Amino acid sequence: QVHLVESGGGLVQGGTSLSLSCAASGRPVSSLSMGWFRQAAGKEREFVATISPITWSGWNTKYADSVKGRFTISRDSAKNMVSLHMNSLKPEDTAVYYCAVDPSGSPSMRAADYDTWGQGTQVTVSS
């Protein structure tokens, strides 16, 4: 059983940077397919980024088009943590950000494929 706790959210100005962390317990993050999703008020949860387990033979990371080139997902195996580094933030990035685990080990961009979620952390970007 994996337990996830996100942190790092806050209120920032547009154009600045913020990093989110997802601390995992129960299993090493290096063995997990993990993703970041976000949900803005009144909208459906949407994919942000995913990182494959180290045993995955294909691609390592994938990003939503809306964040490509601005956001970076990374893994720190020593801390058993996955991070989301967000640059050039825009007001439309405002949302609750969640990290999640895909139990299949095949990295996915579909929220329905993830079965373990953190509690979320609020990111608010002012214009």
Side-chain angles (χ1 to χ4, degrees):
Q1 186 76 13
V2 179
H3 183 60
L4 305 173
V5 178
E6 302 97 333
S7 61
L11 171 63
V12 296
Q13 280 198 323
T16 61
S17 301
L18 192 66
S19 290
L20 306 180
S21 296
C22 175
S25 59
R27 285 186 63 186
V29 295
S30 59
S31 69
L32 300 172
S33 173
M34 297 190 67
W36 282 97
F37 291 77
R38 66 186 182 187
Q39 188 166 17
K43 296 188 177 181
E44 292 189 355
R45 193 166 298 189
E46 66 172 1
F47 167 76
V48 175
T50 184
I51 187 166
S52 57
I54 58 173
T55 54
W56 187 249
S57 60
W59 49 264
N60 183 37
T61 58
K62 273 197 174 178
Y63 299 91
D65 288 343
S66 59
V67 307
K68 202 173 293 183
R70 299 188 299 124
F71 290 13
T72 302
I73 187 172
S74 63
R75 176 174 49 223
D76 186 332
S77 296
K79 296 181 179 179
N80 212 38
M81 184 177 294
V82 171
S83 297
L84 185 69
H85 308 283
M86 306 182 292
N87 296 322
S88 302
L89 283 162
K90 305 175 181 180
E92 50 264 44
D93 294 319
T94 295
V96 177
Y97 283 71
Y98 300 89
C99 67
V101 172
D102 178 351
S104 73
S106 304
S108 170
M109 293 179 281
R110 296 190 333 131
D113 290 334
Y114 291 75
D115 71 348
T116 301
W117 295 81
Q119 83 288 351
T121 186
Q122 175 72 47
V123 173
T124 304
V125 184
S126 63
S127 56

